[in-house]
Amino acid sequence: MIEALERMMLIRAHEETAAALQQAGRAPGSCTAIGGEASAVGVVWALGEDDEILTNHRSAGHLLARGADPNRLLAEIMGRQDGYCGGKSGPLHVSASELGVVLTSTIVGGELALATGVALSRRMAGREGVVACFFGDGAACQGRFHESVNLAAVWGLPVLYVCENNHWQAFVHRDETMLVDSIAARAPGYGIEGARVDGTDVIAVHEAARHAIARIAETGRPYLLETVTYRLRGHFEPDDMAYVDPQEHASWAARDPIDLLRNRLVGSGALDRATLDGIEARVARRISMAEAFASASPFPAPEALTTHVYA
């Protein structure tokens, strides 16, 4: 759990740096996932090395939890050639095949439309394991959610559907778009299992994800896991969050997943001040190195326009 805390702090530092670079005019805008670190680490750390991931426009946490190099990730966000996709994807379309991250889709629910096919290809190739598909509560309101989950259930495909319910769908609150409180409660309607878990508690998320993966292996059917969290920054940097209820935001900020885990570890005696200082120093140094690396990386050459594309 101390390692999980450090990874969550690395994700937070990366996201804050990306936002600061945007504000300084050194990087394009991005969709941060500050507040969702426990969901990312808890689920991704439950996956096996050969499992695959499809994610959405708030992907940095999933990528870094999977072991992405902060140097290359920040370089990609800044559009530099040493990034994961040669600077072509920017912050919203990153893929990293060596990590099993098939794609990041900025199209809301786009990853849902593709997860079923990825899982089918794994089964046809005789590969074990699961495909983890991360999406938000906004995507759960779209038709492609129904189509993907229904088809995966009918075909018995090993998809772990992870709805990171952060209460906000761009600039619209979840309460304005759905009349039910739980997305996981829809699972029985597809003949599959589902669960809802506190997305601010990395330990609870991890245990729920491990159980879900085990059930996929046992039943041969997909599983719908809902992690209830909160987006502590705006939809897209920059964003003044003028549309957010200050009291609601404050109540969720008091449940910051990093603070919760840190206090839990300190309270149990598992984490002392010296160890925490060491973690903070390592994280700061790592992100500083990543920013220097990305800033020194050149922009793609003009001839890169015609590479890695389909005609």
Side-chain angles (χ1 to χ4, degrees), residues 22-185:
Q22 190 283 326
Q23 292 171 4
R26 298 175 55 201
S30 61
C31 294
T32 63
I34 291 177
E37 296 87 354
S39 177
V41 172
V43 174
V44 173
W45 279 22
L47 300 173
E49 290 184 3
D50 295 329
D51 294 336
E52 291 176 298
I53 296 171
L54 292 91
T55 181
N56 57 23
H57 48 282
R58 303 189 193 280
S59 64
H62 309 136
L63 285 154
L64 289 168
R66 190 63 166 173
D69 179 0
N71 288 11
R72 295 183 63 193
L73 185 56
L74 202 55
E76 187 59 42
I77 288 173
M78 294 177 70
R80 308 304 178 95
Q81 72 173 23
D82 293 314
Y84 272 104
C85 300
K88 293 182 177 182
S89 77
L92 300 179
H93 294 278
V94 185
S95 62
S97 58
E98 62 268 42
L99 299 174
V101 180
V102 179
L103 64 85
T104 293
S105 174
T106 191
I107 305 301
V108 175
E111 65 280 16
L112 284 163
L114 298 169
T116 313
V118 174
L120 178 61
S121 71
R122 288 181 67 94
R123 191 177 70 181
M124 293 174 69
R127 298 172 61 193
E128 300 293 332
V130 303
V131 173
C133 180
F134 291 91
F135 59 100
D137 44 293
C141 292
Q142 297 203 355
R144 68 189 76 192
F145 168 80
H146 163 74
E147 293 179 55
S148 178
V149 177
N150 184 66
L151 194 57
V154 171
W155 285 354
L157 300 178
V159 185
L160 172 59
Y161 290 100
V162 184
C163 179
E164 295 181 312
N165 184 348
N166 65 19
H167 289 73
W168 283 98
Q169 302 170 12
F171 308 103
V172 179
H173 197 279
R174 178 182 60 81
D175 291 344
E176 299 178 58
T177 64
M178 59 179 69
L179 298 180
V180 295
D181 187 51
S182 173
I183 293 163

Side-chain angles (χ1 to χ4, degrees), residues 201-221:
D201 184 342
V202 68
I203 298 173
V205 172
H206 186 66
E207 291 176 349
R210 287 182 52 138
H211 173 76
I213 292 168
R215 291 301 296 157
I216 291 172
E218 292 169 9
T219 66
R221 291 183 178 178

Side-chain angles (χ1 to χ4, degrees), residues 191-202:
I192 65 174
E193 296 179 43
R196 197 169 196 242
V197 65
D198 179 0
T200 67
D201 184 342
V202 68

